[in-house]
Amino acid sequence: MLALLPALVIFCAFWLLPFSRLIMMGAEPDPSSGISAYLTILTHRQYLISLATTVGLSLVVSLVAVAIAGVAGFFLARQRFFGKSILVAILTFPLAFPGVVVGFLVIMLGDAKAPWRRPACGCLASVGCSLTHWPDSLLATSTSPFLVLLPR
């Protein structure tokens, strides 16, 4: 039990304390309205629409990604073909990067107002896609190269 003490201290210092502070900040009443941020999300229409859009998009993208990854995983696990090892290496390469980096790359590819602020500099924006539009967001997130590689 004593061996777990350093891990427990690090967990408390870097996750538990900041997370509990964020929960407390959200529960504090807003000076202008007098209600908490959590209650504001559930009572204001614009926040409810945003929450519903986020949850809906997450569910649809998850289902599409599982369907695509399942079919591709079964194919890769059961078929032999020339270049299979290269294809598997290319498909698993993004796993070497943190999710935040991959997400930022997707945003940069699709954003017409990328950090360097040139018109139509995003690859997806140059063909008319916008990550703030439902179908384009679904396309950008569901075609992620992360596949389920099933064991043989």
Side-chain angles (χ1 to χ4, degrees), residues 1-45:
M1 189 66 175
L2 191 59
L4 294 178
L5 187 61
L8 185 62
V9 168
I10 289 174
F11 173 75
C12 287
F14 292 105
W15 190 85
L16 192 60
L17 291 175
F19 192 71
S20 62
R21 178 65 185 137
L22 287 174
I23 290 173
M24 290 180 354
M25 284 174 58
E28 292 173 359
D30 184 33
S32 61
S33 65
I35 58 176
S36 74
Y38 299 127
L39 191 57
T40 303
I41 290 171
L42 298 175
T43 56
H44 286 71
R45 187 177 178 345

Side-chain angles (χ1 to χ4, degrees), residues 76-79 84 88 149-152:
L76 288 173
R78 304 206 188 304
Q79 301 296 323
K84 178 181 174 181
V88 170
L149 298 177
L150 301 174
R152 294 183 183 126

Side-chain angles (χ1 to χ4, degrees), residues 63-83:
L63 292 174
V64 169
V66 166
I68 292 171
V71 170
F74 273 112
F75 176 78
L76 288 173
R78 304 206 188 304
Q79 301 296 323
R80 294 182 128 169
F81 56 90
F82 178 74

Side-chain angles (χ1 to χ4, degrees), residues 103-132 136 140:
F104 185 69
L105 177 64
V106 168
I107 290 171
M108 279 184 39
L109 285 175
D111 189 10
K113 296 179 182 173
W116 43 89
R117 305 280 187 219
R118 288 188 306 213
C121 55
C123 296
L124 294 176
S126 63
V127 292
C129 291
S130 165
L131 293 181
T132 58
D136 298 336

